[in-house]
Amino acid sequence: MIRHNGLHRERAKRPTLEAVAARAGVSRSTVSRVINGEGTVSDEFRAIVMHAVNELGYVPNSAARSLVTRRTDSIALVVSGSPVGARSDDPLFSATVRSATRELEEAGKRVTLMLADSTAGRLRVEQYAASGHVDGVVLVSAQGTDPLPAALARTGIPVVSLGRPTVATHAAYADVDNVGGATSAVEHLLAGGRRRIAAIAGPPDMVAAQDRLKGYREALRDTGHRSIIAVGDLTLASGADAMRQLLRDDPALDAVFVAGDLMAIGALRVLSESGRRVPDDVAIAGFDDIEAASYAVPALTTVRTPREGQARAAVRLLLRQIDGGPVSSTILPTELVIREST
């Protein structure tokens, strides 16, 4: 009996929503919106409320909140259709997932990471989302032929794609300007006097790779220069193989635009082995500005993509959609970083 009374008194002393509001100097409804992860509160007030929450040790009753809001406060971060080689070698993949996870956790959401690289895996994700286990999905889908974006859209659950999907759906997306970035890189090569500019494209079933190849072609469209293209799978080895193919196809080429930095670094090695000096004989420009780009020999000119910003933008779009706010897709600008390779 004594233990029961002590427990009752302990529960009675737990800080309330009203106590947090009083400590923060805001209304109870503002505290509620912050606790529920709604996107209608400014960053300033959100920080003030969370400071009060931490000071008082307030713990929201998640079960009661779920009954009222009909939300789980859980988000699925789904990685679908990524080529195995590209994912294991891509240093931007972990940064993208980490940034999205951090943004969700800061909004008070639990994150469920799900991989869907097979038909069974995609079906499992679709059923999990449709069963009400999560409030929404952030989808990282690399392949344009991936059926999961359309399947999730049919369930009616809020979905935001990290990258533009090829299949037309009503889902919003956050992407980077792949076309514009590629165009700026090729225009830079043209401005340097290069006239036989080849390209190493990424996988043809990747939307970003298609867009980067489109930017390359658009830059050459009105110049009278022909396109010279080889294809890789975003890995070092594929970049090296593609560069060997280009040198066989056109030994007189004087520049290469590469749709990924790892492939560009592989291409640099082949150029060195073939006796071509970079940039004197052949200039080369990559895409993404991974950390290794600045340590390549010579340092790689490349297109910097705001991958962490893209992940944060996707999460914010999803949270706004869950809250019932207006949502439209966004494309973030890229930046050409000029180094010694051009």
Side-chain angles (χ1 to χ4, degrees):
M1 182 66 67
I2 295 175
R3 183 181 305 170
H4 174 77
N5 289 338
L7 180 59
H8 179 75
R9 287 193 298 270
E10 180 183 345
R11 284 176 176 167
K13 293 178 181 177
R14 287 181 178 176
T16 63
L17 206 66
E18 288 76 10
V20 174
R23 175 65 63 89
V26 299
S27 68
R28 184 185 186 281
S29 62
T30 297
V31 175
S32 178
R33 289 198 299 272
V34 171
I35 296 300
N36 289 327
E38 297 182 15
T40 56
V41 182
S42 69
D43 291 341
E44 178 184 0
F45 279 108
R46 190 180 304 277
I48 292 171
V49 170
M50 291 310 298
H51 182 69
V53 166
N54 293 330
E55 275 191 338
L56 294 175
Y58 174 75
V59 179
N61 188 330
S62 58
R65 187 171 69 246
S66 294
L67 289 174
V68 174
T69 65
R70 297 185 182 276
R71 294 182 184 175
T72 65
D73 283 340
S74 294
I75 302 295
L77 179 57
V78 178
V79 181
S80 176
S82 295
V84 174
R87 181 192 300 160
S88 61
D89 284 351
D90 185 1
L92 295 174
F93 174 77
S94 60
T96 299
V97 171
R98 187 169 57 249
S99 296
T101 300
R102 184 184 304 119
E103 190 73 17
L104 286 166
E105 289 178 343
E106 288 178 355
K109 306 300 181 182
R110 291 183 294 272
V111 182
T112 300
L113 178 62
M114 306 184 74
L115 304 181
D117 287 338
S118 65
T119 300
R122 287 188 288 270
L123 181 60
R124 184 171 57 252
V125 168
E126 183 181 351
Q127 292 174 339
Y128 187 82
S131 298
H133 294 294
V134 292
D135 298 326
V137 175
V138 175
L139 179 61
V140 185
S141 181
Q143 294 177 324
T145 56
D146 185 6
L148 189 56
L152 286 173
R154 288 193 296 269
T155 69
I157 190 171
V159 179
V160 171
S161 178
L162 209 156
R164 180 178 63 84
T166 294
V167 179
T169 69
H170 294 295
Y173 61 85
D175 203 357
V176 301
D177 187 6
N178 289 294
V179 175
T183 300
S184 68
V186 178
E187 287 177 345
H188 168 67
L189 294 172
L190 288 167
R194 310 294 171 162
R195 293 296 177 263
R196 301 176 75 91
I197 304 174
I200 299 178
D205 61 351
M206 282 188 65
V207 178
Q210 294 173 8
D211 286 346
R212 294 174 190 184
L213 184 58
K214 178 181 179 181
Y216 161 79
R217 285 173 167 153
E218 286 187 355
L220 293 183
R221 178 180 300 157
D222 298 326
T223 65
H225 305 316
R226 69 185 182 94
S227 299
I228 312 164
I229 301 168
V231 177
D233 64 7
L234 302 181
T235 60
L236 284 163
S238 73
D241 290 341
M243 190 68 249
R244 293 187 187 98
Q245 176 187 327
L246 290 174
L247 290 175
R248 290 193 299 269
D249 292 345
D250 189 351
L253 63 84
D254 60 6
V256 187
F257 164 69
V258 190
D261 285 345
L262 282 176
M263 293 195 299
I265 292 171
L268 279 173
R269 178 170 181 176
V270 170
L271 288 170
S272 176
E273 291 172 350
S274 68
R276 265 76 165 187
R277 297 168 300 166
V278 178
D280 296 351
D281 300 324
V282 179
I284 187 164
F287 209 109
D288 282 324
D289 195 27
I290 64 174
E291 184 178 8
S294 61
Y295 293 99
V297 181
L300 184 65
T301 290
T302 184
V303 178
R304 178 174 295 160
T305 55
R307 287 300 182 92
E308 293 187 1
Q310 180 189 6
R312 290 193 297 269
V315 168
R316 291 169 184 173
L317 283 175
L318 181 65
L319 296 180
R320 195 177 306 142
Q321 185 177 351
I322 292 171
D323 288 341
V327 174
S328 58
S329 299
T330 183
I331 297 178
L332 281 66
T334 57
E335 175 189 359
L336 181 65
V337 181
I338 300 174
R339 299 193 179 102
E340 288 83 359
S341 68
T342 58

